Coordinates of all heavy atoms in Angstrom, one line a residue:
D63 N 15.4 10.1 40.9 CA 16.9 10.4 41.0 C 17.6 10.0 39.7 O 18.8 10.4 39.5 CB 17.5 9.7 42.2 CG 17.0 10.3 43.5 OD1 16.5 11.4 43.5 OD2 17.2 9.6 44.5
Y64 N 17.0 9.1 38.9 CA 17.6 8.6 37.7 C 17.6 9.6 36.5 O 18.3 9.5 35.5 CB 17.1 7.3 37.2 CG 17.7 6.1 38.0 CD1 17.1 5.7 39.2 CD2 18.8 5.5 37.5 CE1 17.7 4.7 39.9 CE2 19.3 4.4 38.2 CZ 18.8 4.0 39.4 OH 19.4 3.0 40.1
E65 N 16.7 10.7 36.6 CA 16.5 11.6 35.5 C 17.7 12.4 35.2 O 18.1 12.5 34.0 CB 15.3 12.5 35.9 CG 14.0 11.8 35.8 CD 12.8 12.7 36.3 OE1 13.0 13.9 36.6 OE2 11.7 12.1 36.5
P66 N 18.5 12.9 36.2 CA 19.7 13.6 35.8 C 20.8 12.7 35.1 O 21.5 13.1 34.3 CB 20.3 14.3 37.1 CG 19.4 13.8 38.2 CD 18.2 13.1 37.6
A67 N 20.8 11.4 35.6 CA 21.7 10.5 35.0 C 21.4 10.2 33.5 O 22.3 10.2 32.7 CB 21.7 9.2 35.8
I68 N 20.1 10.0 33.3 CA 19.6 9.8 31.9 C 19.9 11.0 31.0 O 20.4 10.8 29.9 CB 18.1 9.4 31.9 CG1 18.0 8.0 32.6 CG2 17.6 9.4 30.5 CD1 16.6 7.6 32.9
E69 N 19.7 12.1 31.6 CA 20.0 13.4 30.8 C 21.5 13.5 30.5 O 21.9 13.8 29.4 CB 19.6 14.6 31.7 CG 19.8 15.9 30.9 CD 19.4 17.1 31.8 OE1 18.6 16.9 32.7 OE2 19.9 18.2 31.5
A70 N 22.4 13.2 31.5 CA 23.8 13.2 31.2 C 24.2 12.2 30.2 O 25.1 12.5 29.3 CB 24.6 13.0 32.5
F71 N 23.7 11.0 30.3 CA 24.0 9.9 29.3 C 23.6 10.4 27.9 O 24.3 10.1 26.9 CB 23.4 8.6 29.6 CG 24.0 7.9 30.9 CD1 23.2 7.3 31.8 CD2 25.4 7.9 31.1 CE1 23.8 6.7 32.9 CE2 26.0 7.3 32.2 CZ 25.2 6.7 33.1
N72 N 22.4 11.0 27.8 CA 21.9 11.4 26.5 C 22.8 12.5 25.9 O 23.1 12.5 24.7 CB 20.5 11.9 26.6 CG 19.5 10.8 26.5 OD1 19.6 9.8 25.8 ND2 18.4 10.9 27.3
K73 N 23.2 13.4 26.8 CA 24.2 14.5 26.3 C 25.5 13.9 25.8 O 26.1 14.3 24.8 CB 24.4 15.5 27.4 CG 23.3 16.4 27.6 CD 23.6 17.5 28.7 CE 22.5 18.4 29.0 NZ 22.8 19.3 30.1
A74 N 26.0 12.9 26.6 CA 27.2 12.2 26.2 C 27.1 11.5 24.8 O 28.0 11.6 24.0 CB 27.6 11.2 27.2
L75 N 25.9 10.9 24.6 CA 25.7 10.3 23.3 C 25.6 11.2 22.1 O 25.9 10.9 21.0 CB 24.4 9.4 23.4 CG 24.6 8.1 24.2 CD1 23.3 7.4 24.4 CD2 25.6 7.1 23.6
T76 N 25.1 12.5 22.4 CA 25.1 13.5 21.3 C 26.5 13.9 21.0 O 26.8 14.4 19.9 CB 24.2 14.7 21.7 OG1 24.7 15.3 22.9 CG2 22.8 14.3 21.9
E77 N 27.4 13.9 22.0 CA 28.8 14.2 21.7 C 29.6 13.1 21.0 O 30.3 13.4 20.0 CB 29.6 14.5 23.0 CG 29.0 15.7 23.8 CD 29.4 17.0 23.1 OE1 30.3 17.1 22.3 OE2 28.6 18.0 23.4
H78 N 29.4 11.9 21.5 CA 30.1 10.8 20.8 C 29.3 9.5 21.1 O 29.0 9.2 22.3 CB 31.5 10.6 21.4 CG 32.2 9.4 20.9 ND1 32.6 9.3 19.6 CD2 32.6 8.3 21.6 CE1 33.2 8.1 19.5 NE2 33.2 7.5 20.6
R79 N 28.9 8.8 20.1 CA 28.1 7.6 20.2 C 29.0 6.4 20.6 O 29.7 5.8 19.9 CB 27.5 7.3 18.8 CG 26.3 6.4 18.9 CD 25.1 7.2 18.9 NE 23.9 6.3 19.0 CZ 22.9 6.5 19.8 NH1 22.9 7.5 20.6 NH2 21.9 5.7 19.8
N80 N 28.9 6.2 21.9 CA 29.8 5.1 22.5 C 28.9 4.0 23.0 O 27.9 4.2 23.7 CB 30.6 5.8 23.7 CG 31.5 4.8 24.4 OD1 31.4 3.6 24.3 ND2 32.5 5.4 25.1
P81 N 29.2 2.7 22.6 CA 28.4 1.6 23.1 C 28.3 1.5 24.6 O 27.2 1.1 25.1 CB 29.0 0.4 22.4 CG 30.1 0.9 21.6 CD 30.3 2.3 21.8
D82 N 29.3 1.8 25.3 CA 29.3 1.7 26.7 C 28.4 2.7 27.4 O 27.6 2.3 28.3 CB 30.8 1.9 27.3 CG 30.8 1.7 28.8 OD1 30.3 0.7 29.3 OD2 31.4 2.6 29.5
T83 N 28.4 3.9 26.8 CA 27.4 4.9 27.3 C 26.0 4.5 27.0 O 25.1 4.7 27.8 CB 27.8 6.3 26.7 OG1 29.1 6.6 27.0 CG2 26.9 7.4 27.2
L84 N 25.8 4.0 25.8 CA 24.4 3.5 25.4 C 24.0 2.4 26.4 O 22.8 2.4 26.8 CB 24.5 3.0 24.0 CG 23.1 2.7 23.3 CD1 22.2 4.0 23.3 CD2 23.3 2.2 21.9
K85 N 24.8 1.5 26.7 CA 24.5 0.4 27.6 C 24.1 1.0 29.0 O 23.1 0.6 29.6 CB 25.7 -0.5 27.8 CG 25.4 -1.7 28.7 CD 26.6 -2.6 28.8 CE 26.4 -3.7 29.8 NZ 27.6 -4.5 30.0
K86 N 24.9 2.0 29.5 CA 24.6 2.6 30.8 C 23.3 3.4 30.7 O 22.5 3.3 31.7 CB 25.7 3.6 31.2 CG 27.0 2.8 31.6 CD 28.1 3.8 32.0 CE 29.3 3.0 32.4 NZ 30.3 3.8 33.0
L87 N 23.0 4.0 29.6 CA 21.7 4.7 29.5 C 20.6 3.7 29.5 O 19.6 4.0 30.2 CB 21.7 5.5 28.1 CG 20.3 6.1 27.7 CD1 19.9 7.2 28.7 CD2 20.4 6.6 26.3
N88 N 20.7 2.6 28.8 CA 19.6 1.6 28.8 C 19.4 1.0 30.2 O 18.2 0.8 30.6 CB 19.9 0.5 27.8 CG 19.8 1.0 26.3 OD1 19.1 2.0 26.1 ND2 20.5 0.4 25.4
E89 N 20.5 0.8 30.9 CA 20.4 0.3 32.3 C 19.7 1.3 33.2 O 18.8 0.9 34.0 CB 21.7 -0.1 32.8 CG 22.3 -1.4 32.3 CD 23.8 -1.6 32.8 OE1 24.2 -1.0 33.8 OE2 24.5 -2.4 32.2
A90 N 20.0 2.5 33.1 CA 19.4 3.6 33.9 C 17.9 3.7 33.6 O 17.1 3.8 34.5 CB 20.2 4.9 33.7
Q91 N 17.6 3.7 32.3 CA 16.2 3.8 32.0 C 15.4 2.6 32.5 O 14.3 2.7 33.0 CB 16.0 3.9 30.4 CG 16.5 5.3 29.9 CD 16.5 5.3 28.4 OE1 16.7 4.4 27.7 NE2 16.3 6.5 27.9
R92 N 16.0 1.4 32.3 CA 15.3 0.2 32.8 C 15.1 0.2 34.3 O 14.0 -0.1 34.8 CB 16.1 -1.1 32.4 CG 15.3 -2.4 32.7 CD 16.1 -3.6 32.2 NE 17.3 -3.8 32.9 CZ 18.5 -3.7 32.4 NH1 18.7 -3.3 31.2 NH2 19.6 -3.8 33.2
T93 N 16.1 0.6 35.0 CA 16.1 0.6 36.5 C 15.1 1.7 36.9 O 14.3 1.4 37.9 CB 17.4 0.9 37.1 OG1 18.4 0.0 36.6 CG2 17.4 0.9 38.6
K94 N 15.0 2.8 36.2 CA 14.1 3.9 36.6 C 12.6 3.4 36.4 O 11.8 3.6 37.3 CB 14.3 5.1 35.7 CG 13.3 6.2 36.0 CD 13.5 7.4 35.0 CE 12.6 8.5 35.4 NZ 11.8 9.0 34.3
K95 N 12.4 2.7 35.3 CA 11.1 2.1 35.0 C 10.7 1.1 36.1 O 9.5 1.1 36.6 CB 11.0 1.5 33.6 CG 9.6 1.1 33.2 CD 9.6 0.6 31.8 CE 8.2 0.3 31.3 NZ 8.2 -0.3 30.0
E96 N 11.6 0.2 36.5 CA 11.3 -0.8 37.5 C 11.0 -0.1 38.8 O 10.0 -0.5 39.5 CB 12.5 -1.7 37.6 CG 12.7 -2.7 36.5 CD 14.0 -3.5 36.5 OE1 14.7 -3.3 37.5 OE2 14.2 -4.2 35.6
L97 N 11.8 0.9 39.2 CA 11.5 1.6 40.4 C 10.2 2.3 40.4 O 9.5 2.4 41.4 CB 12.6 2.6 40.7 CG 13.9 1.9 41.3 CD1 15.0 3.0 41.4 CD2 13.7 1.3 42.6
E98 N 9.8 2.9 39.3 CA 8.5 3.6 39.2 C 7.4 2.6 39.4 O 6.4 3.0 40.1 CB 8.4 4.3 37.8 CG 9.2 5.5 37.6 CD 9.1 6.1 36.2 OE1 8.8 5.3 35.3 OE2 9.4 7.3 36.0
Q99 N 7.5 1.4 38.8 CA 6.5 0.4 39.0 C 6.4 0.0 40.5 O 5.3 -0.1 41.0 CB 6.7 -0.8 38.1 CG 6.5 -0.5 36.7 CD 6.9 -1.6 35.8 OE1 7.7 -2.5 36.1 NE2 6.4 -1.6 34.5
K100 N 7.5 -0.2 41.1 CA 7.6 -0.6 42.5 C 7.0 0.5 43.4 O 6.3 0.3 44.4 CB 9.0 -0.9 43.0 CG 9.5 -2.2 42.5 CD 10.9 -2.5 43.0 CE 11.4 -3.8 42.4 NZ 12.8 -4.0 42.8
E101 N 7.3 1.8 43.1 CA 6.8 2.9 43.9 C 5.3 3.1 43.7 O 4.7 3.6 44.6 CB 7.6 4.2 43.5 CG 9.1 4.2 44.0 CD 9.9 5.3 43.3 OE1 9.4 6.1 42.6 OE2 11.1 5.2 43.6
Y102 N 4.8 2.7 42.5 CA 3.4 2.9 42.2 C 2.6 1.8 42.8 O 1.4 2.0 43.1 CB 3.3 2.9 40.7 CG 2.0 3.5 40.2 CD1 1.7 4.9 40.3 CD2 1.0 2.7 39.6 CE1 0.6 5.4 39.8 CE2 -0.2 3.2 39.2 CZ -0.4 4.6 39.3 OH -1.6 5.1 38.8
F103 N 3.2 0.6 43.0 CA 2.5 -0.6 43.6 C 2.0 -0.3 45.0 O 2.7 0.1 45.9 CB 3.5 -1.7 43.6 CG 2.9 -3.0 44.1 CD1 2.2 -3.8 43.3 CD2 3.0 -3.4 45.4 CE1 1.6 -5.0 43.7 CE2 2.4 -4.6 45.9 CZ 1.8 -5.4 45.0
D104 N 0.6 -0.4 45.2 CA 0.0 -0.1 46.5 C -1.3 -0.9 46.5 O -2.3 -0.5 46.0 CB -0.2 1.4 46.7 CG -0.6 1.7 48.1 OD1 -1.1 0.8 48.8 OD2 -0.5 2.9 48.5
P105 N -1.3 -2.1 47.2 CA -2.5 -2.9 47.3 C -3.7 -2.2 47.9 O -4.8 -2.4 47.5 CB -2.1 -4.1 48.2 CG -0.6 -4.1 48.0 CD -0.2 -2.7 47.9
S106 N -3.5 -1.3 48.9 CA -4.6 -0.6 49.5 C -5.3 0.3 48.6 O -6.6 0.4 48.5 CB -4.2 0.1 50.8 OG -3.3 1.1 50.5
I107 N -4.6 1.1 47.8 CA -5.2 1.9 46.8 C -5.8 1.1 45.7 O -6.9 1.5 45.2 CB -4.1 2.9 46.2 CG1 -3.6 3.9 47.3 CG2 -4.7 3.7 45.0 CD1 -2.5 4.8 46.9
A108 N -5.2 0.0 45.4 CA -5.8 -0.9 44.4 C -7.2 -1.4 44.8 O -8.1 -1.5 44.0 CB -4.9 -2.1 44.1
D109 N -7.3 -1.8 46.1 CA -8.6 -2.2 46.6 C -9.6 -1.1 46.5 O -10.8 -1.3 46.2 CB -8.5 -2.7 48.1 CG -7.7 -4.0 48.2 OD1 -7.7 -4.7 47.1 OD2 -7.2 -4.3 49.3
E110 N -9.2 0.2 46.9 CA -10.1 1.3 46.8 C -10.6 1.5 45.3 O -11.8 1.7 45.1 CB -9.4 2.6 47.2 CG -9.1 2.6 48.7 CD -8.3 3.9 49.1 OE1 -8.2 4.8 48.3 OE2 -7.7 3.8 50.2
E111 N -9.6 1.4 44.4 CA -10.0 1.6 43.0 C -10.9 0.4 42.5 O -11.9 0.7 41.7 CB -8.7 1.6 42.1 CG -7.9 2.8 42.2 CD -8.6 4.1 41.7 OE1 -9.4 4.0 40.8 OE2 -8.4 5.2 42.3
R112 N -10.7 -0.8 43.0 CA -11.6 -1.9 42.6 C -13.0 -1.7 43.1 O -14.0 -1.9 42.4 CB -11.0 -3.2 43.2 CG -11.8 -4.4 42.8 CD -11.2 -5.7 43.2 NE -10.8 -5.8 44.6 CZ -11.7 -6.0 45.6 NH1 -13.0 -6.2 45.4 NH2 -11.3 -6.0 46.9
E113 N -13.1 -1.1 44.4 CA -14.4 -0.8 44.9 C -15.1 0.2 44.1 O -16.3 0.2 43.9 CB -14.3 -0.4 46.4 CG -13.9 -1.6 47.3 CD -14.9 -2.7 47.3 OE1 -16.2 -2.5 47.2 OE2 -14.5 -3.9 47.3
K114 N -14.4 1.3 43.8 CA -15.0 2.3 42.9 C -15.4 1.7 41.6 O -16.5 2.1 41.1 CB -13.9 3.4 42.7 CG -13.6 4.3 43.9 CD -12.6 5.4 43.5 CE -12.1 6.1 44.7 NZ -11.0 7.0 44.4
G115 N -14.6 0.9 41.0 CA -15.0 0.2 39.8 C -16.3 -0.6 40.0 O -17.2 -0.6 39.1
N116 N -16.4 -1.3 41.1 CA -17.6 -2.1 41.4 C -18.8 -1.2 41.4 O -19.9 -1.5 40.9 CB -17.5 -2.9 42.7 CG -16.5 -4.0 42.6 OD1 -16.1 -4.4 41.4 ND2 -16.0 -4.5 43.7
E117 N -18.7 0.0 42.1 CA -19.8 0.9 42.2 C -20.3 1.4 40.8 O -21.5 1.5 40.6 CB -19.4 2.1 43.1 CG -19.3 1.8 44.6 CD -18.6 2.9 45.4 OE1 -18.6 4.0 44.9 OE2 -18.1 2.6 46.5
F118 N -19.3 1.8 40.0 CA -19.6 2.2 38.6 C -20.3 1.1 37.8 O -21.2 1.3 37.0 CB -18.4 2.8 37.9 CG -18.1 4.2 38.3 CD1 -16.9 4.5 39.1 CD2 -18.9 5.3 38.0 CE1 -16.6 5.8 39.4 CE2 -18.6 6.6 38.4 CZ -17.4 6.8 39.1
F119 N -19.8 -0.1 38.0 CA -20.3 -1.3 37.3 C -21.8 -1.5 37.7 O -22.6 -1.7 36.8 CB -19.5 -2.5 37.6 CG -19.9 -3.7 36.8 CD1 -19.5 -3.9 35.5 CD2 -20.7 -4.7 37.4 CE1 -19.8 -5.0 34.8 CE2 -21.1 -5.8 36.6 CZ -20.7 -5.9 35.3
K120 N -22.1 -1.4 39.0 CA -23.5 -1.6 39.5 C -24.4 -0.5 38.9 O -25.6 -0.7 38.7 CB -23.5 -1.6 41.0 CG -22.9 -2.8 41.6 CD -22.9 -2.7 43.1 CE -22.1 -3.9 43.7 NZ -21.8 -3.7 45.1
A121 N -23.8 0.7 38.7 CA -24.6 1.8 38.2 C -24.6 1.8 36.7 O -25.1 2.7 36.0 CB -24.0 3.2 38.7
Q122 N -24.1 0.7 36.1 CA -24.0 0.5 34.6 C -23.2 1.6 33.9 O -23.5 2.0 32.8 CB -25.4 0.4 34.1 CG -26.1 -0.9 34.6 CD -27.5 -1.1 34.0 OE1 -28.0 -0.2 33.3 NE2 -28.0 -2.3 34.2
Q123 N -22.3 2.2 34.6 CA -21.4 3.2 33.9 C -20.0 2.5 33.6 O -19.0 2.6 34.3 CB -21.1 4.4 34.9 CG -22.4 5.2 35.2 CD -22.2 6.3 36.2 OE1 -21.2 6.3 36.9 NE2 -23.1 7.2 36.3
Y124 N -20.1 1.7 32.6 CA -19.0 0.7 32.3 C -17.7 1.4 31.9 O -16.6 0.9 32.4 CB -19.5 -0.2 31.2 CG -20.7 -1.0 31.6 CD1 -21.9 -0.9 30.8 CD2 -20.7 -1.8 32.7 CE1 -23.0 -1.5 31.2 CE2 -21.9 -2.5 33.1 CZ -23.0 -2.3 32.3 OH -24.2 -3.0 32.7
P125 N -17.6 2.5 31.1 CA -16.3 3.1 30.8 C -15.6 3.6 32.1 O -14.4 3.4 32.3 CB -16.7 4.3 29.9 CG -18.0 3.9 29.3 CD -18.7 3.1 30.3
D126 N -16.4 4.1 33.1 CA -15.8 4.6 34.3 C -15.3 3.4 35.1 O -14.3 3.4 35.8 CB -16.8 5.4 35.1 CG -17.0 6.8 34.5 OD1 -16.1 7.3 33.8 OD2 -18.2 7.3 34.6
A127 N -16.1 2.3 35.1 CA -15.7 1.1 35.9 C -14.4 0.5 35.3 O -13.5 0.2 36.1 CB -16.8 0.0 35.7
I128 N -14.3 0.5 34.0 CA -13.1 0.0 33.4 C -11.9 0.8 33.7 O -10.8 0.3 34.0 CB -13.3 -0.1 31.8 CG1 -14.2 -1.2 31.4 CG2 -11.9 -0.3 31.1 CD1 -14.6 -1.2 30.0
K129 N -12.1 2.1 33.8 CA -11.0 3.0 34.2 C -10.5 2.7 35.6 O -9.3 2.6 35.8 CB -11.5 4.5 34.1 CG -10.4 5.5 34.3 CD -11.0 6.9 34.2 CE -11.7 7.3 35.5 NZ -12.1 8.6 35.6
H130 N -11.4 2.5 36.5 CA -11.0 2.2 37.9 C -10.4 0.8 38.0 O -9.4 0.6 38.8 CB -12.2 2.4 38.8 CG -12.5 3.8 39.1 ND1 -11.7 4.7 39.8 CD2 -13.5 4.6 38.5 CE1 -12.3 5.9 39.8 NE2 -13.4 5.9 39.0
Y131 N -10.9 -0.2 37.3 CA -10.4 -1.5 37.3 C -8.9 -1.5 36.7 O -8.1 -2.2 37.3 CB -11.2 -2.5 36.5 CG -12.6 -2.8 37.2 CD1 -13.7 -3.0 36.4 CD2 -12.7 -3.0 38.6 CE1 -14.9 -3.3 37.0 CE2 -13.9 -3.3 39.1 CZ -15.0 -3.4 38.4 OH -16.2 -3.8 38.9
T132 N -8.7 -0.7 35.7 CA -7.4 -0.7 35.1 C -6.4 0.0 36.0 O -5.3 -0.5 36.2 CB -7.5 0.2 33.8 OG1 -8.4 -0.5 32.9 CG2 -6.1 0.2 33.1
E133 N -6.9 1.0 36.7 CA -6.0 1.6 37.7 C -5.7 0.6 38.9 O -4.5 0.6 39.3 CB -6.6 2.9 38.3 CG -5.8 3.6 39.3 CD -4.5 4.2 38.8 OE1 -4.4 4.4 37.6 OE2 -3.6 4.4 39.7

Side-chain angles (χ1 to χ4, degrees):
D63 292 344
Y64 278 88
E65 290 171 8
I68 291 168
E69 183 182 338
F71 290 139
N72 279 322
K73 285 182 181 177
L75 288 170
T76 59
E77 295 291 335
H78 176 67
R79 199 98 178 132
N80 183 337
D82 184 47
T83 305
L84 188 59
K85 182 180 173 188
K86 289 181 179 189
L87 171 65
N88 290 336
E89 283 176 18
Q91 288 173 329
R92 186 178 65 249
T93 306
K94 179 182 182 233
K95 187 175 181 182
E96 288 170 3
L97 283 173
E98 282 174 342
Q99 288 174 340
K100 285 180 185 175
E101 291 167 5
Y102 199 71
F103 182 84
D104 190 340
S106 62
I107 295 176
D109 288 340
E110 291 173 18
E111 289 294 328
R112 184 174 50 79
E113 289 301 321
K114 287 178 188 174
N116 289 343
E117 290 170 19
F118 280 112
F119 186 81
K120 288 174 189 170
Q122 297 183 350
Q123 295 176 347
Y124 303 118
D126 291 327
I128 290 171
K129 184 179 82 174
H130 287 285
Y131 289 144
T132 302
E133 180 64 23

